[in-house]
Amino acid sequence: MCNINAKTTEQGASFAQQHIFQKGLKKYRQRRKAAAGKELDQLHRRTCFTPIDISTLTPEEKRKAMEALMFLTEKRDKSIKGRMVYNGKPTREWLSREDSASSTAALESIMLTAIVDAKEGRDVMTADIPNAFIQALMPEVEDGEERVIMKITGVLVDLLVEMAPEIYGPKVVFENGKKVLYVQVLRPLYGLLVASLLWYKQFRGDLEETGYEFNPYDACVANKPVEGKQHTVRFHVDDLMCSHKNTQVNDKFEKWLNKKYGKHGKVTTTRGKIHDYLGMRFDFSEKGKVMIDMIEYMAAMVDEFSTKFKPTDTASSPAAEDLFAEGTGKKLGTDQAEEFHTFVAKGLFACKRARPDIHAAIAALCTRVSSPNGSDWKKLNRLLRYINGTRNDKLILSADDLHVIKWYVDSAFAVHPDFKSHTGGGMTYGRGMPITM
């Protein structure tokens, strides 16, 4: 494994390339050692792992010991960030889906609570808890249970020994001529499949201790009555959006977050009317309304497509009348089919958030990603021309009355060859379409 080619979305549009440490050595030269050292230092100071004597390992513990990976990322400010992760992919075979679940609020919850925030004129605060996973602890190992073991190798061993020779030095061994250090994981590291769930249990327990009650329909939305008004906290792993009518309630909550989780790094918060959250921009500037956009993301989507569009290359709608027809034409080649799949996936990400207007077109194109042909490519091009002309569009949501819920539902049955039953439908709360099915 030389690198990770997947691009990570940051604030809806910016992408960062990650490199495994050895490749990062060549790319970032001197800066890579400082970045890796900084990451290892914080893990050491937080006692995220402890070195163990190889002779104490059971055969099963040694077999399941996963190698530590160090990734280097060049951030937008050109600084290099290191992240040590536990190579958790091979552990899927002995972990259930329930144990490796990730704590994320439903998009419907995010949209609906934002409407409430706008209607009630609440103060909104977004927050990012630093190194959230390692704020939690691994479960205590009972008699007869296996420990979680990680294997650190090569240059990373040298950095740890240089940092604390009396702690790590005596436990270093050689395997196939390579320095190896076995450690027991004490805090959930990134990459450990149970890390997200352990962090969720920690954070949920902390909120419940202070009086928050979790929504029975969404386990990542919590409310607490404060000064006669509701304080709402919804979270996507370690990214929070909080709201209350009184700004001082969010002030106090920010202090609580830093006291609880900011010991080794400040909890960063954003206050005001505009917030970048989960790849979307939430704008509460207009009274009673929330405007949600992904303008930078949509622009990047169009600009990165292999077909280059002029500003005048637009379409009046996302799709033509032949959207659901299977179409004709040669099967796309490997590279073009991969690009087709990539951009349909990008559209899927957007249509479930700030761009429901392209939902029908994306739903149809999703059925074609396994075997796209020339007609499908033309449909994707039309969609991107439509996005090119509407890249600045925003989703505007509001509510006339929070005590009256109106439902509008529609559906379509077997409208194209790949559908076996039915699709479509929607529910509107107030104005707009925060939920689509």
Side-chain angles (χ1 to χ4, degrees):
M1 181 178 182
C2 293
N3 65 357
I4 288 183
N5 290 319
K7 296 178 179 179
T8 54
T9 305
E10 180 179 328
Q11 296 183 355
S14 301
F15 303 98
Q17 178 71 47
Q18 293 188 96
H19 298 272
I20 199 72
F21 186 70
Q22 293 301 325
K23 184 172 182 179
L25 292 177
K26 299 177 182 179
K27 184 174 179 65
Y28 302 126
R29 299 186 183 279
Q30 295 302 318
R31 293 186 294 165
R32 90 287 185 188
K33 185 175 181 180
K38 183 178 179 181
E39 170 71 358
L40 288 172
D41 180 63
Q42 71 149 336
L43 296 178
H44 167 71
R45 286 186 292 107
R46 294 188 180 190
T47 319
C48 293
F49 46 71
T50 184
I52 56 178
D53 194 316
I54 190 174
S55 64
T56 67
L57 292 175
T58 67
E60 192 66 6
E61 285 178 332
K62 190 172 182 181
R63 183 183 75 83
K64 290 184 176 180
M66 293 295 110
E67 189 167 352
L69 305 175
M70 178 69 76
F71 290 102
L72 301 177
T73 303
E74 186 173 34
K75 300 171 70 175
R76 289 191 298 174
D77 62 2
K78 301 302 180 182
S79 64
I80 305 300
K81 177 179 177 61
R83 172 76 74 194
M84 174 177 273
V85 303
Y86 177 93
N87 184 16
K89 185 177 179 179
T91 67
R92 290 186 184 277
E93 63 182 83
W94 60 77
L95 280 176
S96 67
R97 293 184 65 180
E98 290 76 14
D99 289 335
S100 57
S102 184
S103 52
T104 57
L107 286 168
E108 293 87 350
S109 301
I110 301 297
M111 298 292 193
L112 292 172
T113 52
I115 294 173
V116 174
D117 294 341
K119 178 65 177 177
E120 296 185 348
R122 294 189 187 188
D123 174 68
V124 178
M125 176 180 74
T126 48
D128 181 16
I129 297 177
N131 303 298
F133 289 176
I134 59 177
Q135 304 270 6
L137 288 169
M138 295 291 290
E140 291 187 14
V141 179
E142 303 291 341
D143 291 340
E145 292 183 340
E146 296 171 0
R147 298 166 294 181
V148 176
I149 306 300
M150 184 170 67
K151 184 166 69 170
I152 303 174
T153 61
V155 179
L156 300 180
V157 176
D158 294 334
L159 291 173
L160 283 172
V161 172
E162 181 181 322
M163 191 179 303
E166 71 287 353
I167 296 176
Y168 299 108
K171 301 295 192 297
V172 176
V173 297
F174 284 84
E175 292 182 354
N176 299 321
K178 184 193 302 185
K179 289 181 180 179
V180 176
L181 179 66
Y182 286 91
V183 298
Q184 179 183 351
V185 178
L186 302 178
R187 292 183 179 272
L189 299 175
Y190 286 87
L192 194 66
L193 296 186
V194 298
S196 183
L197 185 59
L198 291 172
W199 157 247
Y200 171 78
K201 290 179 177 179
Q202 173 77 42
F203 187 55
R204 175 169 181 149
D206 292 341
L207 286 178
E208 288 178 326
E209 281 184 5
T210 59
Y212 286 86
E213 182 177 345
F214 277 73
N215 190 293
Y217 299 100
D218 193 326
C220 293
V221 178
N223 293 287
K224 176 183 177 181
V226 182
E227 299 179 0
K229 300 291 184 180
Q230 195 176 61
H231 187 231
T232 301
V233 179
R234 53 276 201 195
F235 55 94
H236 184 103
V237 189
D238 54 359
D239 292 316
L240 283 60
M241 180 178 276
C242 322
S243 62
H244 191 275
K245 185 73 174 176
N246 188 342
T247 59
Q248 293 182 352
V249 174
N250 274 336
D251 292 340
K252 293 178 181 178
F253 189 66
E254 180 181 1
K255 291 179 180 178
W256 179 82
L257 288 173
N258 271 295
K259 182 179 180 180
K260 198 76 177 176
Y261 311 110
K263 182 178 180 181
H264 297 284
K266 185 179 179 181
V267 175
T268 57
T269 59
T270 300
R271 308 296 293 269
K273 299 294 184 181
I274 299 176
H275 299 265
D276 288 316
Y277 188 64
L278 306 184
M280 298 171 280
R281 174 164 292 187
F282 289 77
D283 187 345
F284 295 92
S285 300
E286 192 170 340
K287 185 178 180 180
K289 297 179 180 180
V290 55
M291 294 174 283
I292 306 171
D293 75 73
M294 298 174 67
I295 293 174
E296 292 183 359
Y297 179 90
M298 304 311 289
M301 182 176 170
V302 174
D303 295 341
E304 291 171 6
F305 191 57
S306 59
T307 301
K308 300 306 176 185
F309 300 107
K310 299 176 182 178
T312 54
D313 291 335
T314 61
S316 59
S317 63
E321 294 180 356
D322 64 344
L323 173 64
F324 298 112
E326 186 172 349
T328 58
K330 291 177 59 178
K331 299 294 183 185
L332 300 185
T334 302
D335 292 343
Q336 199 172 24
E338 184 177 333
E339 184 179 16
F340 180 88
H341 195 160
T342 297
F343 279 83
V344 170
K346 288 176 180 286
L348 182 61
F349 181 83
C351 80
K352 301 299 289 185
R353 290 162 175 78
R355 295 299 302 265
D357 53 323
I358 65 172
H359 197 282
I362 289 296
L365 293 176
C366 279
T367 68
R368 303 296 306 151
V369 294
S370 61
S371 185
N373 58 33
S375 295
D376 301 319
W377 183 257
K378 290 179 181 178
K379 294 172 186 176
L380 178 61
N381 270 264
R382 181 191 173 95
L383 173 62
L384 285 164
R385 284 191 287 113
Y386 170 77
I387 294 173
N388 187 39
T390 61
R391 59 174 71 191
N392 294 325
D393 281 9
K394 299 179 181 181
L395 176 64
I396 302 175
L397 302 175
S398 63
D400 295 322
D401 191 332
L402 296 179
H403 303 288
V404 178
I405 299 177
K406 296 181 179 179
W407 294 61
Y408 301 89
V409 180
D410 192 12
S411 61
F413 294 83
V415 291
H416 59 82
D418 291 335
F419 261 76
K420 308 303 181 185
S421 56
H422 66 276
T423 182
M427 184 189 84
T428 175
Y429 178 94
R431 297 191 187 122
M433 181 65 73
I435 300 178
T436 56
M437 296 174 284

